[in-house]
Amino acid sequence: MVRALLDDVRAARPDLDVREAFVDVQEPEVADVVTSVVAPAEGGPGDAVVVPLLLSGGFHVGVDIAASVEDRGPGTGSAAAATPLGPDARLVDLLADRLAEAGVRADDAVVIAAAGSSARARATSSGSPRACASGTPVR
C-alpha cells in the first residue's frame, strides 16, 4: 500500500525525488534516508521534506521524525517535516464514502481502531467528527 501511494505521487509529480522510509522496525529508516539527501556520500547536498503517512501526531511524529530532520551541520542541506495526515475532516468524509460504497447500513457496527501510538490521547482525539458523517453514534 505504501509503495502504491508513492508510485501515485511519483506519477503526479515526476519532478520530485520521492523515497520511502519507515519509523519503526522496517528499513530504510527515516533518519538514514534524510541523511542520504542532505549529507550524501557523493554529490552535493539537497533538501528533504518528510511527509508522515500517519493519522495523528504521537511518538513517531514528535520524536522519531523530529530527530530525523534535525540540522546536520554546515555544508548540509535542510530537512523539514510535514504534519501527519490527521485528524482531518476530509479523512472522515473519505471514510463515510468508503463505508457507503461497501454497503454499510445505519444499524451495522463499524470498528475503527487506532494502533501504534503510545500517545493514547492522540489515538482517540479524532473522535467523532460528524459521527463518521453518518449520524451513527461513535463509541
Side-chain angles (χ1 to χ4, degrees):
M1 184 165 110
V2 170
R3 287 196 178 109
L5 179 59
L6 295 179
D7 289 343
D8 288 347
V9 172
R10 288 182 186 109
R13 292 293 308 270
D15 55 312
L16 294 178
D17 177 7
V18 179
R19 303 179 189 194
E20 71 180 336
F22 301 92
V23 292
D24 195 16
V25 182
Q26 290 181 280
E27 292 187 356
E29 292 182 4
V30 175
D32 294 339
V33 174
V34 171
T35 297
S36 74
V37 173
V38 301
E42 296 180 19
D47 297 326
V49 176
V50 176
V51 179
L53 298 180
L54 300 167
L55 296 177
S56 67
F59 184 84
H60 291 309
V61 171
V63 176
D64 296 329
I65 292 173
S68 76
V69 298
E70 288 180 349
D71 185 8
R72 287 169 173 72
T76 63
S78 64
T83 59
L85 300 176
D88 189 304
R90 291 171 292 186
L91 293 173
V92 175
D93 292 340
L94 179 60
L95 174 61
D97 291 346
R98 295 291 168 86
L99 290 171
E101 289 170 11
V104 171
R105 299 171 310 228
D107 59 340
D108 289 338
V110 175
V111 177
I112 302 170
S117 181
S118 57
R120 180 171 166 74
R122 295 281 188 189
T124 60
S125 67
S126 310
S128 163
R130 296 189 316 275
C132 261
S134 69
T136 304
V138 175
R139 293 175 234 168

